[in-house]
Amino acid sequence: LWQRSAVSAMAVAMTVAFMLFAVPTAALRGSVRPSHQLLASHSCSERAQTVGAQCAQALGEQGLSRRSAFRLALQAGSAVVLGEAALRQLPAYASGGATAGKTTSIPRAKARYYGRITEAVNSFLSLKAPAEAGTKLGGSDFFKENGPYSEFMTAGYLLAVAFKIDAKIPPSRIAQVGKHGALMASLDKLKSASPANVGAAYAAAAVALDDFLDSVELPPLSDGRYE
């Protein structure tokens, strides 16, 4: 009788283990980071299966006490419960849907790129006086390699992409990316503008930059932080 009870406990424990750990990875993607899914599910399922095998082997051995058989069966069930608890304790990471970018990508992108964009904006504002004076700006430090223009191009793009609201949306359909493209086009025109047109080109670039800043939740050019 006790052997049949132990076998039943073992069957229940391993059935729960199968349902918990053999589900497709896609079912867990919305709740935990993929790397954490893999580590946690592999570790816990391996533990449950190992203990389960020990139960099966032990039950087949002659002279095993009733207490030992039940202890092993309960260990298998415990491994399943602990594995489920471990998965629930892992931090949640968005990977699609309406809250994807807003839970992870945007805060991280702000922390990483806001400072760089702010410095680039400061440099852009320093071009106003020479632009209004009709000075050609193509050879200025602003447009040199790894200068503010490059920061707008790289950090600005990465910041814009972070504002996606659905992982399935391509970058070209993200509103902030469109604003970024318009900004870069206006800066390219400013770079090549002649002395007669550089003032107007700067004014147009300033409008495009304000639009971009607003789209990525940064203050406008008139804000005191850029002074």
Side-chain angles (χ1 to χ4, degrees):
L1 177 60
W2 67 266
Q3 286 187 343
R4 286 197 299 270
S5 298
V7 171
S8 297
M10 179 61 201
V12 171
M14 295 312 295
T15 298
V16 175
F18 175 83
M19 294 177 66
L20 179 61
F21 298 108
V23 295
T25 302
L28 297 173
R29 285 179 182 167
S31 58
V32 295
R33 187 191 293 269
S35 59
H36 288 173
Q37 293 168 12
L38 179 62
L39 291 174
S41 62
H42 175 74
S43 175
C44 296
S45 61
E46 183 178 72
R47 170 61 177 155
Q49 292 173 10
T50 299
V51 175
Q54 291 175 351
C55 273
Q57 181 179 358
L59 288 172
E61 294 177 355
Q62 296 294 326
L64 180 68
S65 69
R66 176 180 178 180
R67 178 178 298 177
S68 296
F70 270 113
R71 183 172 63 250
L72 288 174
L74 289 174
Q75 286 178 355
S78 297
V80 173
V81 174
L82 290 174
E84 182 180 20
L87 283 175
R88 289 177 177 175
Q89 291 298 318
L90 292 175
Y93 292 85
S95 60
T99 61
K102 296 186 180 300
T103 57
T104 56
S105 298
I106 294 177
R108 290 183 178 182
K110 287 179 178 179
R112 181 173 297 178
Y113 303 118
Y114 267 15
R116 294 168 61 180
I117 295 300
T118 297
E119 290 184 7
V121 171
N122 288 334
S123 297
F124 174 81
L125 290 175
S126 70
L127 299 177
K128 182 177 182 179
E132 291 178 345
T135 303
K136 188 173 173 61
L137 301 175
S140 67
D141 290 342
F142 182 89
F143 290 104
K144 287 184 178 179
E145 185 177 2
N146 298 323
Y149 173 86
S150 297
E151 285 288 79
F152 277 128
M153 182 167 57
T154 56
Y157 177 78
L158 294 173
L159 177 59
V161 169
F163 279 78
K164 63 184 177 183
I165 61 173
D166 191 323
K168 297 179 181 179
I169 296 178
S172 60
R173 293 178 55 192
I174 300 173
Q176 288 78 2
V177 173
K179 299 290 186 181
H180 176 264
L183 168 62
M184 297 313 300
S186 68
L187 290 178
D188 288 338
K189 291 180 179 180
L190 176 61
K191 181 179 180 180
S192 60
S194 66
N197 298 321
V198 67
Y202 179 87
V207 172
L209 179 53
D210 255 338
D211 287 344
F212 171 72
L213 294 175
D214 180 65
S215 73
V216 295
E217 301 175 2
L218 274 169
L221 292 176
S222 58
D223 190 90
R225 76 177 61 190
Y226 300 124
E227 296 178 355

